[in-house]
Amino acid sequence: MILTSASSAESDMRPRAGSSDYRRTVVALVAAAVATFAQLWSVQPILPAIAEGFAASASQTALVVSLATGGLAGFTLVWSGAADRIGRARVIALSLFVATMLGCAIPFAGELWVLLVLRAAQGAALGGVPAAAVAYLAEEIHPADAPRATGLYIAGNPLGGMGGRLLAGVVAQWGGWQWGIAANTLLGLSALVVFVVVLPRGHRAPARGGRGDGARTGTVRRLRAAMTTPGLPALYAQALLLMGAFMTIYNLLGFRLMAEPFGLSQAAASLLFLAYTAGMLGSAIAGNATARWGGHVVLAVSTGLMVLGLGGLFSTAVPGLLVALAVMTFAFFAAHATASAWVGSRAVDGRAQAMAVYTLAYYLGSSFFGWAGGLVYDLVGWGGAVVFASGLCVCAGLVGLRLRRLPRIGASSE
């Protein structure tokens, strides 16, 4: 059996790290991540400007983010089913195209409810990328290099998130929140073009399944496997709780920085989103760290670092706050890259559905806990929101104890 496994690994012709197809695939998927997360998070640094424009509270304005992430979460299973039928690469391209077209309409919203509806629809459209991307990499990249490729793709999340936030904040300072969103729509369109042009045609994941009752039965079976495979529910919980903590802080960061004792301008406050560069580093090194020490160790250390970073957010000095943000962001993306790669490796049957459920949990955490954190902020201020986020991390750490005895990423789950 050992000889058979070795022979199978040697005959696997999927792209290896260092090959042209590997590089092109990673670049294309990183471009898709940039297009997705630049548009999804572009409103976050300009929430105070939107609140002022519509005379809304922090918790009401947070819905501009929460409904988008909620729409994304709600449609991940729909997109994963479509990916099984028409192919993962096609789903990613279609998802980005529809989202970008909706982005063109958002700056023209004259009422808060219209903005909320458009953002929910845009989030639903963007759901195709996270629902299909990690499964695509797990299927199209050699298993030995898939965790590394996944980490690089996840690094595109903070790259897009940071770039979108910075672009929106700076442009909004001069032209209003509408122009901040429009600038990110143009960025998303450019990244979509890169994805379509660069992705190697010869390695696109084929459509799976067919139509009719047989296809539906297969989807139900794969979804059941995604919900019952040992370890997967605990990994979904990591996404739910850690993303909830992370989004609580970043939703409220603009309000904190533009209020006393900081009193920063819109553009200056947006510069603190440069802390996302730490997230890119955390994502990029997570694969190698997991291969060396195991997924549970990386998740546990990352969660502890998140709590440490959150503790530093009580600082009233900009340098101290920036360092704390960097630590928290590094730790969060290291945890996210590890957990998502582990799901992709663990879910041998129903991989697309497992990634969809992981994505659903991830964005439900963003939607619900991000909104709830806004309520805490309205009631008791920044300190209460930080304590709330810390509590979510502690819960994630306790649930993560269930992952101690799982096989390492890349090992067989059978």
Side-chain angles (χ1 to χ4, degrees):
M1 181 174 294
I2 294 176
L3 290 177
T4 301
S5 299
S7 175
S8 176
E10 290 174 0
S11 64
D12 195 319
M13 300 303 293
R14 285 176 286 184
R16 296 297 307 264
S19 69
S20 174
D21 280 352
Y22 176 90
R23 287 192 295 268
R24 290 179 62 188
T25 300
V26 169
V27 168
L29 269 294
V30 168
V34 168
T36 301
F37 296 102
Q39 294 183 88
L40 185 65
W41 304 123
S42 62
V43 300
Q44 207 168 48
I46 57 177
L47 287 179
I50 295 174
E52 182 179 356
F54 291 108
S57 68
S59 57
Q60 289 173 324
T61 311
L63 289 173
V64 179
V65 177
S66 292
L67 287 179
T69 56
L72 190 155
F75 274 75
T76 51
L77 289 175
V78 176
W79 282 115
S80 70
D84 281 340
R85 290 168 173 79
I86 68 174
R88 311 210 193 289
R90 290 189 183 94
V91 158
I92 293 170
L94 178 62
S95 170
L96 292 177
F97 176 77
V98 174
T100 303
M101 294 303 100
L102 288 166
C104 292
I106 289 174
F108 298 100
E111 301 287 342
L112 182 59
W113 72 268
V114 176
L115 176 61
L116 295 177
V117 169
L118 288 172
R119 283 285 295 169
Q122 186 181 42
L126 288 171
V129 179
V134 174
Y136 181 90
L137 290 170
E139 293 170 355
E140 298 300 327
I141 298 296
H142 192 282
D145 298 314
R148 185 184 306 176
T150 300
L152 292 172
Y153 160 72
I154 297 297
N157 297 7
L159 177 62
M162 181 186 70
R165 288 170 170 98
L166 290 174
L167 182 62
V170 172
V171 174
Q173 177 73 35
W174 304 105
W177 67 264
Q178 295 91 339
W179 282 103
I181 292 176
N184 274 280
T185 301
L186 181 60
L187 175 61
L189 178 61
S190 301
L192 170 58
V193 171
V194 172
F195 173 79
V196 172
V197 171
V198 172
L199 189 71
R201 299 294 193 277
H203 292 283
R204 293 195 176 192
R208 294 184 168 215
R211 297 182 180 181
D213 292 339
R216 284 191 292 271
T217 301
T219 299
V220 171
R221 176 183 58 78
R222 290 191 293 271
L223 181 58
R224 185 182 298 115
M227 297 303 298
T228 58
T229 299
L232 289 183
L235 289 169
Y236 303 150
Q238 301 303 300
L240 177 79
L241 296 166
L242 295 180
M243 180 56 163
F246 184 75
M247 202 45 50
T248 292
I249 297 304
Y250 272 99
N251 274 356
L252 301 171
L253 184 60
F255 292 97
R256 171 64 168 167
L257 294 173
M258 295 175 72
E260 295 299 330
F262 300 105
L264 301 182
S265 67
Q266 176 73 75
S270 299
L271 291 177
L272 264 75
F273 286 95
L274 285 169
Y276 257 60
T277 55
M280 287 181 272
L281 178 61
S283 300
I285 71 171
N288 289 334
T290 298
R292 183 172 182 179
W293 293 299
H296 176 257
V297 172
V298 176
L299 278 174
V301 171
S302 297
T303 303
L305 280 176
M306 275 194 75
V307 175
L308 180 65
L310 285 164
L313 293 179
F314 289 101
S315 174
T316 55
V318 171
L321 194 69
L322 180 57
V323 170
L325 277 173
V327 171
M328 185 197 73
T329 305
F330 172 92
F332 169 75
F333 279 103
H336 174 38
T338 301
S340 59
W342 209 347
V343 170
S345 172
R346 187 79 180 147
V348 176
D349 190 20
R351 180 175 284 125
Q353 284 68 32
M355 289 311 309
V357 174
Y358 179 88
T359 304
L360 174 65
Y362 185 83
Y363 288 106
L364 280 179
S366 170
S367 299
F368 178 74
F369 291 121
W371 168 76
L375 288 179
V376 173
Y377 180 84
D378 285 340
L379 289 173
V380 297
W382 176 255
V386 171
V387 171
F388 173 76
S390 300
L392 294 177
C393 290
V394 171
C395 290
L398 293 174
V399 173
L401 293 175
R402 299 178 63 87
L403 300 168
R404 286 176 296 178
R405 296 179 181 175
L406 284 188
R408 289 193 172 198
I409 294 176
S412 172
S413 63
E414 298 179 343

